[in-house]
Amino acid sequence: MRTVRMLGNCGVDVIDLPDPEPAERDEVVVEVMSSPLCGSERHAWDGGRRMGANNVFNSGHEGSGVVAKARGSKYVKEGDRVALHAAAPCGSCRYCVAGHWVLCDRPPGRRLPGNHSQYVLVNERSCLPLADDISFETGALFGDAIGTPFRAIKRLGVTGFDTVLITGQGPIGLAATMLCRFLNARTIVLDVNPYRLEQGRQCGADACVNPAEETDIHARIAEIAGPRGVDVALECSAAPEAQTLCMDVLRKSGRMALIGVSDKGPMIDTMQHFTLKEIEVIGTWYSAPTDHEELEALVRRGLPADDMVTHRFGIEEAPEAFDLFFGGDAAKVVLEPWG
Ligand SMILES: [Zn+2]
Ligand SMILES: [Zn+2]
């Protein structure tokens, strides 16, 4: 089979590997039909070389496909259409029982070598049934790209009464905009990249603001949202200044989700930001398996999930796909391993 190999220092190539075989009863092989690129792969792409099984590593963790080999599986059979959940849950710890697979106490299962491949070896529980009327491309977006902001939006109870600030219009922020629009919430979106801001506009944002072009970003947001502030903030940029901004412009008793992954902290005034305003802040980084079926239902009711895909590449074009995606002038970029 053909698979992408991360070379580090902004390079990938495409190589041949033997097709994977299930070694354990709970392992299955999935023929990958759609494998989107995710912003969280940046560290794998532009960092140092990382080694995986067979000295090959690729960071693909979104995807969908068809079960190709399932010897002893109780959950799936060969030929099943599935969306791939990135967790390999044990199914029995307290977090798994509650549906919080990404918090599972058991270490992640084996995965060879990542979803940017023609075949991938996964834990059988990672295979969520994909309905026949949902495309592979849409199903591949459910776990992370759409599922992550969806879970945050659900946990924060966003409704059509809310004005929502969304910082960052990369794929996660863009999906947040699309979902809030679908729920009839009012959205203010921020990004310093004009291309991404335009993507936000096309996804239905009510106001698009480029902070780099504003002299007083706080005043600009107050002008749009009103002096009370925004009801909800979804931080999707991972920029520490955006995290601080969200807490600044949130109204008293507002709700906020930290979705962007950053190892640098925001400047927090615990008394002004938290105690006196009584705001609620949650962290979230991936979907729950129960979100999958709800997203299928939303797509049937018209959620334009595929609109966020701007580019599609065959697997041999993986170097161009990564260059384009991390160049920033693309929304969701998808690898089609058999294209
Ligand atoms: Zn991801
Ligand atoms: Zn578990």
Side-chain angles (χ1 to χ4, degrees):
M1 69 165 182
R2 301 292 281 165
T3 190
V4 173
R5 176 172 60 173
M6 317 296 288
L7 299 170
N9 303 314
C10 310
V12 305
D13 64 1
V14 184
I15 58 167
D16 275 317
L17 266 192
D19 292 353
E21 287 289 333
E24 311 285 340
R25 271 223 342 252
D26 64 354
E27 290 178 336
V28 301
V29 172
V30 172
E31 179 183 2
V32 182
M33 303 306 286
S34 179
S35 181
L37 272 59
C38 174
S40 68
E41 293 177 60
R42 179 176 284 282
H43 305 293
W45 180 69
D46 68 7
R49 172 90 185 268
R50 284 176 61 181
M51 298 295 184
N54 291 358
N55 290 333
V56 176
F57 172 78
N58 81 53
S59 46
H61 57 272
E62 305 183 14
S64 62
V66 177
V67 176
K69 289 175 192 167
R71 282 185 200 143
S73 175
K74 298 188 295 256
Y75 292 89
V76 290
K77 61 182 188 311
E78 288 167 16
D80 283 356
R81 303 172 86 249
V82 294
L84 294 170
H85 195 275
C90 75
S92 56
C93 75
R94 60 182 294 170
Y95 297 108
C96 282
V97 169
H100 305 311
W101 284 6
V102 289
L103 304 180
C104 176
D105 282 332
R106 195 181 87 157
R110 286 197 295 159
R111 180 174 277 270
L112 177 70
N115 292 354
H116 302 321
S117 300
Q118 291 181 322
Y119 293 98
V120 66
L121 182 68
V122 296
N123 183 284
E124 60 185 351
R125 289 190 185 87
S126 309
C127 298
L128 300 175
L130 183 64
D132 287 341
D133 61 338
I134 306 292
S135 71
F136 285 115
E137 185 168 281
T138 298
L141 302 171
F142 283 169
D144 196 0
I146 301 179
T148 297
F150 179 63
R151 183 149 173 252
I153 285 166
K154 274 204 314 182
R155 287 174 63 195
L156 294 177
V158 175
T159 73
F161 295 113
D162 289 316
T163 295
V164 183
L165 173 68
I166 303 164
T167 47
Q169 289 294 284
I172 294 277
L174 199 61
T177 304
M178 181 176 68
L179 287 160
C180 288
R181 166 79 187 177
F182 196 71
L183 295 170
N184 267 330
R186 185 168 166 242
T187 50
I188 304 167
V189 306
L190 265 59
D191 205 298
V192 293
N193 177 336
Y195 176 92
R196 292 195 153 171
L197 212 50
E198 178 55 29
Q199 292 290 316
R201 190 185 311 280
Q202 287 176 23
C203 264
D206 293 291
C208 300
V209 179
N210 186 336
E213 293 172 357
E214 299 292 333
T215 47
D216 186 343
I217 186 67
H218 292 75
R220 181 80 184 102
I221 291 171
E223 187 188 329
I224 302 166
R228 199 176 59 175
V230 301
D231 302 295
V232 174
L234 303 172
E235 205 305 290
C236 303
S237 74
E241 56 271 31
Q243 296 172 342
T244 307
L245 176 70
C246 285
M247 283 181 267
D248 287 342
V249 300
L250 209 54
R251 71 163 165 84
K252 287 181 272 189
S253 193
R255 298 105 76 199
M256 171 172 170
L258 286 164
I259 305 172
V261 181
S262 169
D263 53 8
K264 297 185 193 73
M267 294 293 291
I268 297 173
D269 177 334
T270 52
M271 184 178 79
Q272 295 297 335
H273 282 133
F274 290 94
T275 313
L276 297 183
K277 279 168 74 170
E278 297 201 342
I279 66 169
E280 180 188 345
V281 180
I282 65 165
T284 188
W285 63 278
Y286 198 76
S287 63
T290 44
D291 297 329
H292 174 91
E293 233 177 283
E294 294 177 11
L295 284 169
E296 285 190 338
L298 291 193
V299 167
R300 290 189 190 108
R301 283 179 221 153
L303 183 77
D306 285 356
D307 283 2
M308 61 186 294
V309 177
T310 51
H311 299 82
R312 297 167 180 86
F313 290 94
I315 196 163
E316 305 301 332
E317 301 164 306
E320 292 98 294
F322 276 85
D323 284 348
L324 173 81
F325 183 63
F326 287 115
D329 286 345
K332 204 65 180 167
V333 174
V334 172
L335 286 182
E336 294 172 343
W338 300 91

